[in-house]
Amino acid sequence: MARKTTSKKTKQPVKKKEDTSFTSKISRFLFKALLWFFGISLFFVVLYKFVPVPFTPLMVIRAIENKTAGNEVYFSHDWEPLKNISDNLQKAVIASEDGTFLKHNGFDFGAMHKAYKSNERGRRIKGGSTISQQTAKNVFLWQGRSYLRKGLEAYFTVLIEIIWGKERIMEVYLNSIEMGDGVYGAQAAAEHWYRKDAANLTPIQAAGIAAILPNPRKFKATSSSSYINNRKTKIVRIMRQVGTVKY
């Protein structure tokens, strides 16, 4: 009797599922990038707690702008310890830029709310950024109004408040901000505007520098407009209320 033979079907090997999908690869890449960003940013924040900030992104941007426009690239930046910067200038920037600097934890939500409400009405007033926020922006970031930049500003503000403390924030702020066209920091500003050291600024001279900070390339601390002179007077009056600066 003939035996019926049946051909066995060869079992196809099951394809192994790919280890990671495209989405998971992207997620892993972003996670690693975030870790690198956190590590590098933390490194520089800790470094600048002890080491003078050599330059800021704004200094580089201004130099490129002047070079592109065919103008002379003028750059003056002399780092001085806070003890060599007049108490008058420290009080002046608190009076002008951030009245609650010694009390807040990096953010003045009351000032931010006022600025927001005023902007809604189309009025232009002093922004709600604190000295801590301005320092974070000047040292680590670029100029701009994007949500990304503001988010990073908040991140660096928290870091410097925790790691640096108020005294170091003030020291970095006064050594890094733009105080004239191509003039950065208190010592360079004192020499540029008054031909003296930052340690010897009088209250009215300190108020003159603080008064131009909203737009230091447009306004002048000496031979000032009536608008700046009025700001000087107001700042000197508020400086008396600030009293002794205790960090």
Side-chain angles (χ1 to χ4, degrees), residues 1 26 86 115 127 152 185:
M1 186 174 178
I26 292 295
S86 170
L152 289 173

Side-chain angles (χ1 to χ4, degrees), residues 11-177:
K11 197 173 182 180
Q12 295 293 328
V14 180
K15 287 186 178 180
K16 288 187 177 180
K17 200 173 182 179
E18 292 185 1
D19 293 331
T20 53
S21 65
F22 177 75
T23 304
S24 62
K25 284 181 179 179
I26 292 295
S27 300
R28 186 173 295 181
F29 170 77
L30 291 175
F31 179 70
K32 287 182 179 179
L34 192 63
L35 286 180
W36 272 102
F37 169 75
F38 179 73
I40 292 171
S41 61
L42 189 61
F43 169 79
F44 278 105
V45 171
V46 173
L47 178 69
Y48 288 151
K49 177 179 173 65
F50 306 102
V51 177
V53 179
F55 62 88
T56 67
L58 181 61
M59 296 176 190
V60 176
I61 291 168
R62 292 287 189 242
I64 294 172
E65 287 175 349
N66 287 330
K67 189 72 174 177
T68 304
N71 300 327
E72 181 184 357
V73 179
Y74 175 78
F75 180 87
S76 180
H77 179 222
D78 302 308
W79 184 279
E80 287 290 342
L82 192 61
K83 64 181 181 181
N84 294 344
I85 299 175
S86 170
D87 289 345
N88 290 321
L89 186 57
Q90 297 174 50
K91 289 192 285 187
V93 294
I94 290 173
S96 172
E97 298 295 300
D98 185 1
T100 61
F101 173 68
L102 298 172
K103 300 175 183 177
H104 64 62
N105 293 317
F107 306 94
D108 186 342
F109 294 105
M112 291 166 69
H113 182 70
K114 279 184 182 179
Y116 173 76
K117 286 295 182 182
S118 183
N119 290 336
E120 272 192 330
R121 294 192 294 268
R123 295 171 56 191
R124 298 183 65 185
I125 64 165
K126 182 179 73 173
S129 293
T130 62
I131 285 175
S132 301
Q133 288 175 275
Q134 292 179 48
T135 305
K137 177 187 69 177
N138 288 333
V139 174
F140 299 106
L141 301 170
W142 64 95
Q143 304 296 306
R145 297 180 180 274
S146 68
Y147 287 113
L148 172 63
R149 212 269 302 151
K150 292 299 288 184
L152 289 173
E153 178 187 297
Y155 165 74
F156 279 107
T157 298
V158 171
L159 281 186
I160 65 175
E161 279 282 339
I162 294 171
I163 297 172
W164 290 2
K166 295 294 186 183
E167 189 169 0
R168 180 60 175 175
I169 290 173
M170 179 61 78
E171 184 174 53
V172 174
Y173 177 77
L174 289 178
N175 275 288
S176 303
I177 58 172

